[in-house]
Amino acid sequence: MTSQTVGKPVRNRPAGLRGRARRLLREITLPAVLFAVLALLILAPVALVVLSAFASDTPRPGNFDLSGLTLDNFVDVTSAGSLKAALNSLAVGIGASALALLIGGFLAFVTARTNVYWRGFLYLVGLLPMLLPSYVGALAWSVLGSENAGLANITLRDLGLPPFVDVNNIAGLIVVLALYYAPYAFLLIHGALSLMNPDLEEAANVHGAPFGQVLRRVTLPLVTPAFLGAAVLIFVLTIENFPVSQIIGGAAGVETLPTYIYRLMNSTPSRGNEAAAVAIALVAVVLVVTALQRRMLARRTFTTVSGKGMKPRQIDLGGWRLPALLAGLGYFVLSTVLPVLALAFVALHDSPYIGTVLGSFGKPDAFTVEAFADVLDSSIAQRATVNSVVVSVAAALLGTLLAFAVAYVVQRTKLPGRQPLEYVSMLPLAIPAIVLGLGLLWTWLIMPIPVYGTLAVMVIAFVAAQMPQGFRGVASSIGQVDRDLEDSAVMHGASRTRAIASITAPLLRVGLTSTFLLLLMLSMRELTVPLFLFTSDTRLLSIVIFDDFDNGILQRAAATSLLYCLVILALSILSRRFGASEQR
Amino acid sequence: MKVDVHGLTLKYGDAVAVSDLDLTVNEGESLVLLGQSGCGKTSTMRCIAGLETPASAVITIGDQTVFDSGRGINRAPNKRNVGMVFQSYAIWPHMTVFENVAFPLKMKGRKKAEIGEAVHETLELVGLDHLAERGASLLSGGQMQRVALARSLAMQPSVLLLDEPLSNLDARLRHRLRMELRELQLRLRLTSLYVTHDQDEALALADRIALMQSGRIVQIGEPHEIYANPKSASIAEFLGVDNVIPVTPEDATCVQLTATGQKLKVEPYEAAETLRLCVRAEDVLLAAGGAGDVNALPGTIVSFAFQGSTVAYRVRVGDGLELDAVQMKSAGPLFGMNDAVTVSLPARAMRVLPAEVAA
């Protein structure tokens, strides 16, 4: 081609180089700023935990001594106590995930694919326990199921039956965890079963497989990824769960790695370096399990979702319709009905000492709303409520904004450093909450900015801990908006910023709102992350409940828990409504 | 306005999508970039739009340099005044038809009354004025396509880019819109660059066609020129030549079929390392019986298909060599399976070409 119009006079400075350098500088600014923010939020805490595990002193304000690096802390990891805790953790993780998968998988199958009685209701039964933070469930079960003073056994004695319920042991811990993590299995497996392209099953049918074979050779293998995903997720969540282990296992002296870390931190003098070493062992377990899952799934692809919204075939349960319903109801009673009744009973009972359950209903003044009045009146609870709301709203807002910025850069640009941004954003998934809490504590202790002991540090902690959920939420909704829509605005004269503001953001409104509500909900429920960070002025509702229980103020703990559940219920109805409008 | 692309190289990581490409679209010309998917045609277009950043290039639109890697010039896409119709149409679902078309004018800071007038004028041009207030998510595919076109026309672009704009429509609608597009384009004489993998679309819409293969332009010229004289066998095949057969040279006007050893008289050809004989199915003549003179091969009917005005045959002429032939229904007796036929290949209809255009 001729270059008559091209041959502009070339100026005599090496502008090419300078131009390129300027371009690079411009391109790198945004990712660099985001990376710095994420590094401070997530990498610094993780790094401090790792360093502390090798140091002889924990980080303190203005001082973090790295001179005495040592492996001594790991001696404790191999001590009898910590090995016992590790074994307990493994048993609890494996047992609870197996049981949760069984419950969740069963409910998912009958509600997605069969004509079980009350199908719609059983679907709700599968989801409902999500509204109960696991430590509220644990609290209720410790009220219900302790060997001597448990309401279940008192009722049995009232009826003249031998008491046999005891949750304060490792089996009880497994059952309680499974009850409250089964909904995760339910959701994932139900999704896979109901979104599966029915053509796949019909094709097997047409090609000669009888019904049972279709199920075994096509349907079940296709839900394997969902099943495995749920298994790993629940294993990780239960093995790192602190409050349930503390509440249920604490009374029986069943120690798991998270409670062991907590005890090391709370002993006098605090043994933070050893806690850090144990934390690393816990992280290692989590990483190995997630890596295994990736390897198992990497070998095949499982594209089953057709997006056509066809209705999968329904299986006729025949004589099993009723037994299946009863099994589902059994789970409903254990996970939701009994715990809520127990909390209500304790909160409303006139005295913390309960001699008889059935007998109380005969006495005229056995019930009083005093405990509720107490809670509503108490300055601690009021303060905690305000704190919880302020922290959660701020964390959800900032978290959504940060997630949007990061997800936009990762998904929509070709800027350098996109991959690391994504990795760091997802990192907290592999860090147990108690470990992240530990790291956040040390990070903001040594930071020259005075945020430690304020609500701001809580907000920072929540933004860091919930970055993966926020990133995933925003990234998936950005993925649903065709990038051409924004590019076309730019082609038609809008600047990139203007195009984001007038096209992309409005189209993402629903996705951003539901991410915000999800983060709000997670922040409201979180107990473990702020556990090392609160002071008497910055207690959150979750912490107040945990404290009250720890100090034996059961009635108030139960009353606060119930009110707390109501708040969470309201929030989730709100987010469901926004989530539903996404379908339009 | 005239568009000039010089030395365009685009890389995705280590993969080279476009390599050292030169291209000029003259003022008022409709140039079609034709090629298979992955040949770099859309990438080339996106570089002109400014949506991709080339590793090196000088791109000018009119007398304005919009990209120059040497001098560090990279004008933002919104400052290039380039209209673009996306393959997905990219109609904003949260706006009405009117708002979609008004958008570029609003960005230019036009007055409200002026915008209203211009939008209605443009919508009339594409026959959608009655749908102005309809929500854009309620449109059919064909309507969206017209809105996308109207939106780009409304901004009075220096050059209009169209990225496979008809590929998401069904065949009949595609055909009609193709005619409308050509009509509009002949009337407005807008400089435009059109990307497609459909040769019929390219032949119908182009003033000139630039054929792309693996990141470079291998042939450029007017549609009838390219249709009649493809530069290589792979271009010929892409343009719908049904029979592309490996041959070895004998002398200046004779080649040997590599598969069967039969010799054929051909027009003079240029020597190249690998040669292919290219002949369209409609130029392959079939006759009953076994005898024949020059360029006649004995064959057997392997399969046939009735196609309305024509009948397509597949004929085996030797070990591993089958030819496609198309005959008008009225041209002779219809053959059946396994009938012995004589295949005649007129020298005038055949072309001996290099397999690929030399790099």
Side-chain angles (χ1 to χ4, degrees):
Chain A
M1 246 7 74
T2 56
S3 55
Q4 288 145 348
T5 51
V6 177
K8 287 269 169 78
V10 178
R11 278 165 264 173
N12 337 322
R13 57 189 168 90
L17 254 181
R18 203 176 302 176
R20 214 159 291 168
R22 218 175 337 161
R23 208 163 89 197
L24 190 69
L25 193 71
R26 206 172 44 218
E27 281 183 353
I28 208 130
T29 314
L30 181 60
V33 168
L34 289 176
F35 194 81
V37 171
L38 289 181
L40 187 64
L41 282 176
I42 296 165
L43 290 182
V46 174
L48 281 181
V49 171
V50 174
L51 286 175
S52 301
F54 294 98
S56 41
D57 218 343
T58 54
R60 288 214 187 86
N63 165 37
F64 184 44
D65 189 8
L66 275 181
S67 55
L69 288 186
T70 166
L71 284 176
D72 287 354
N73 301 317
F74 286 90
V75 170
D76 191 77
V77 176
T78 54
S79 74
S82 122
L83 280 183
K84 187 95 196 8
L87 284 180
N88 281 341
S89 277
L90 272 184
V92 166
I94 292 169
S97 2
L99 190 54
L101 279 174
L102 202 68
I103 299 171
F106 166 76
L107 280 175
F109 181 75
V110 295
T111 56
R113 286 305 185 81
T114 73
N115 61 346
V116 66
Y117 291 116
W118 296 10
R119 225 170 71 138
F121 177 71
L122 283 185
Y123 181 79
L124 272 186
V125 166
L127 288 180
L128 219 50
M130 279 215 158
L131 298 182
L132 239 52
S134 64
Y135 52 90
V136 171
L139 199 146
W141 268 102
S142 98
V143 166
L144 263 171
S146 69
E147 199 176 358
N148 295 314
L151 294 181
N153 286 339
I154 295 175
T155 311
L156 285 173
R157 272 199 291 268
D158 286 349
L159 292 168
L161 297 168
F164 63 89
V165 182
D166 180 12
V167 295
N168 292 116
N169 50 48
I170 196 157
L173 181 51
I174 288 175
V175 171
V176 172
L177 279 170
L179 284 179
Y180 295 100
Y181 284 99
Y184 293 86
F186 172 76
L187 261 185
L188 288 171
I189 298 171
H190 188 278
L193 280 173
S194 54
L195 286 175
M196 186 184 299
N197 185 348
D199 288 356
L200 297 172
E201 289 175 337
E202 278 163 14
N205 210 195
V206 168
H207 291 99
F211 178 74
Q213 293 273 340
V214 173
L215 202 64
R216 204 158 56 81
R217 290 177 186 274
V218 177
T219 313
L220 292 183
L222 283 174
V223 290
T224 313
F227 203 76
L228 265 183
V232 169
L233 178 71
I234 296 174
F235 179 80
V236 168
L237 287 174
T238 49
I239 207 173
E240 66 167 78
N241 182 293
F242 162 75
V244 178
S245 306
Q246 177 72 8
I247 292 171
I248 299 284
V254 178
E255 194 129 62
T256 61
L257 284 177
T259 60
Y260 191 63
I261 293 172
Y262 181 68
R263 199 161 57 85
L264 285 173
M265 282 301 289
N266 277 8
S267 62
T268 20
S270 169
R271 296 157 69 188
N273 296 107
E274 289 153 71
V278 177
I280 286 182
L282 182 54
V283 173
V285 174
V286 171
L287 284 180
V288 166
V289 172
T290 357
L292 274 181
Q293 181 216 15
R294 290 205 158 196
R295 282 196 67 162
M296 286 165 97
L297 291 187
R299 277 180 288 136
R300 288 179 285 169
T301 56
F302 296 82
T303 318
T304 58
V305 180
S306 66
K308 276 194 199 153
M310 279 183 286
K311 212 174 154 192
R313 242 184 335 167
Q314 232 182 37
I315 295 160
D316 186 3
L317 282 182
W320 290 96
R321 288 177 79 183
L322 189 62
L325 170 66
L326 291 181
L329 289 181
Y331 171 67
F332 180 53
V333 168
L334 290 179
S335 67
T336 316
V337 179
L338 279 182
V340 170
L341 285 180
L343 288 177
F345 185 86
V346 171
L348 292 172
H349 200 263
D350 66 334
S351 124
Y353 307 104
I354 298 165
T356 162
V357 173
L358 298 177
S360 305
F361 290 97
K363 276 196 287 176
D365 51 355
F367 294 106
T368 146
V369 291
E370 217 170 284
F372 282 104
D374 244 20
V375 170
L376 294 178
D377 243 15
S378 124
S379 66
I380 292 182
Q382 285 171 2
R383 181 103 189 228
T385 309
V386 172
N387 284 350
S388 270
V389 170
V390 167
V391 166
S392 301
V393 169
L397 203 61
L398 292 175
T400 308
L401 285 177
L402 181 62
F404 177 74
V406 174
Y408 186 88
V409 168
V410 169
Q411 293 218 306
R412 281 293 174 83
T413 70
K414 295 199 178 123
L415 296 177
R418 286 169 298 142
Q419 279 296 313
L421 278 179
E422 181 172 359
Y423 289 144
V424 176
S425 297
M426 297 306 285
L427 183 63
L429 272 193
I431 312 293
I434 194 142
V435 179
L436 195 60
L438 205 59
L440 284 163
L441 165 73
W442 288 331
T443 307
W444 297 98
L445 264 180
I446 64 172
M447 219 34 90
I449 322 161
V451 291
Y452 182 75
T454 66
L455 286 179
V457 77
M458 297 284 189
V459 174
I460 291 169
F462 283 165
V463 170
Q466 281 145 22
M467 191 62 202
Q469 287 82 2
F471 176 80
R472 256 204 311 229
V474 179
S476 75
S477 31
I478 290 185
Q480 282 162 10
V481 175
D482 189 353
R483 67 185 308 153
D484 281 357
L485 291 168
E486 185 184 306
D487 279 350
S488 115
V490 174
M491 290 317 302
H492 292 94
S495 69
R496 188 56 73 177
T497 338
R498 180 94 191 246
I500 294 175
S502 63
I503 306 292
T504 310
L507 288 174
L508 282 176
R509 198 184 57 232
V510 173
L512 291 177
T513 315
S514 52
T515 304
F516 169 79
L517 287 166
L518 171 72
L519 295 189
L520 187 64
M521 184 110 132
L522 289 174
S523 301
M524 286 297 289
R525 299 172 52 134
E526 184 63 55
L527 165 68
T528 317
V529 169
L531 202 61
F532 296 124
L533 293 172
F534 75 92
T535 62
S536 55
D537 283 340
T538 60
R539 274 194 277 202
L540 305 177
L541 264 180
S542 53
I543 301 231
V544 167
I545 295 173
F546 183 74
D547 256 12
D548 278 352
F549 177 80
D550 232 17
N551 297 327
I553 315 173
L554 262 191
Q555 282 186 296
R556 205 166 73 187
T560 320
S561 296
L562 284 176
L563 293 175
Y564 185 43
C565 286
L566 281 182
V567 174
I568 291 179
L569 180 70
L571 271 181
S572 66
I573 289 173
L574 203 65
S575 51
R576 283 231 115 197
R577 181 164 288 175
F578 275 93
S581 65
E582 203 165 359
Q583 313 293 315
R584 249 177 259 151
Chain B
M1 266 179 256
K2 179 172 170 169
V3 178
D4 225 314
V5 178
H6 187 73
L8 170 64
T9 298
L10 175 70
K11 294 177 183 169
Y12 296 114
D14 287 335
V16 179
V18 181
S19 78
D20 198 21
L21 176 139
D22 293 332
L23 179 69
T24 303
V25 188
N26 295 311
E27 167 132 34
E29 181 186 39
S30 161
L31 189 119
V32 174
L33 273 180
L34 175 64
Q36 270 147 342
S37 65
C39 72
K41 54 192 191 307
T42 297
S43 302
T44 304
M45 167 179 281
R46 288 173 65 87
C47 286
I48 296 173
L51 295 172
E52 303 282 349
T53 309
S56 65
V58 178
I59 301 173
T60 54
I61 297 175
D63 50 10
Q64 186 184 52
T65 304
V66 294
F67 187 88
D68 186 337
S69 47
R71 289 191 290 153
I73 296 174
N74 186 7
R75 199 163 259 278
N78 51 314
K79 304 251 172 68
R80 294 188 183 192
N81 195 36
V82 169
M84 184 161 175
V85 177
F86 289 75
Q87 186 172 10
S88 60
Y89 314 137
I91 297 298
W92 302 306
H94 60 308
M95 299 181 182
T96 62
V97 168
F98 182 94
E99 286 167 332
N100 263 282
V101 179
F103 185 90
L105 299 171
K106 221 153 66 191
M107 290 299 129
K108 284 188 173 175
R110 295 282 162 75
K111 282 196 212 79
K112 216 166 170 192
E114 202 184 328
I115 292 179
E117 202 175 316
V119 170
H120 283 295
E121 216 169 89
T122 321
L123 281 176
E124 224 162 277
L125 199 63
V126 298
L128 280 186
D129 203 24
H130 59 294
L131 294 181
E133 293 314 316
R134 178 160 310 180
S137 53
L138 302 173
L139 299 175
S140 71
Q143 289 168 336
M144 281 202 200
Q145 211 277 325
R146 285 172 218 233
V147 175
L149 187 63
R151 186 173 61 185
S152 285
L153 290 177
M155 72 188 282
Q156 299 188 306
S158 307
V159 51
L160 178 62
L161 308 178
L162 301 108
D163 185 7
E164 309 237 7
L166 303 180
S167 64
N168 284 336
L169 303 172
D170 67 63
R172 198 168 302 183
L173 189 58
R174 189 159 63 220
H175 204 81
R176 208 177 71 210
L177 280 174
R178 186 202 294 169
M179 292 313 290
E180 280 179 27
L181 211 55
R182 180 63 179 163
E183 213 179 285
L184 209 59
Q185 200 235 321
L186 287 173
R187 184 141 59 100
L188 302 177
R189 270 294 155 209
L190 195 65
T191 311
S192 62
L193 181 67
Y194 190 106
V195 159
T196 182
H197 65 272
D198 181 328
Q199 44 137 343
D200 292 333
E201 216 166 285
L203 294 172
L205 287 173
D207 293 328
R208 275 194 310 152
I209 293 177
L211 246 150
M212 279 190 81
Q213 280 178 346
S214 43
R216 54 201 191 93
I217 291 175
V218 286
Q219 188 168 8
I220 188 162
E222 291 180 33
H224 65 87
E225 222 173 86
I226 290 196
Y227 189 79
N229 293 312
K231 262 165 116 179
S232 77
S234 71
I235 295 175
E237 191 166 16
F238 184 66
L239 289 175
V241 173
D242 318 78
N243 299 302
V244 176
I245 312 155
V247 289
T248 34
E250 270 294 300
D251 57 50
T253 60
C254 184
V255 293
Q256 189 180 27
L257 294 176
T258 312
T260 64
Q262 283 146 324
K263 290 186 180 133
L264 295 173
K265 279 273 167 228
V266 293
E267 308 256 283
Y269 58 92
E270 274 176 49
E273 201 167 318
T274 41
L275 289 174
R276 299 275 187 276
L277 179 74
C278 304
V279 56
R280 289 182 181 273
E282 65 255 35
D283 293 328
V284 177
L285 304 176
L286 300 182
D293 48 354
V294 192
N295 286 1
L297 313 169
T300 325
I301 303 287
V302 182
S303 69
F304 62 95
F306 179 67
Q307 303 186 134
S309 57
T310 58
V311 184
Y313 295 98
R314 183 154 264 258
V315 192
R316 174 183 291 268
V317 294
D319 260 354
L321 182 58
E322 287 176 358
L323 293 179
D324 283 325
V326 167
Q327 284 207 306
M328 295 305 288
K329 251 187 322 182
S330 55
L334 295 176
F335 303 105
M337 283 295 285
N338 299 323
D339 283 0
V341 291
T342 300
V343 180
S344 315
L345 298 167
R348 218 165 17 82
M350 291 191 290
R351 206 160 286 282
V352 177
L353 297 171
E356 301 288 347
V357 177

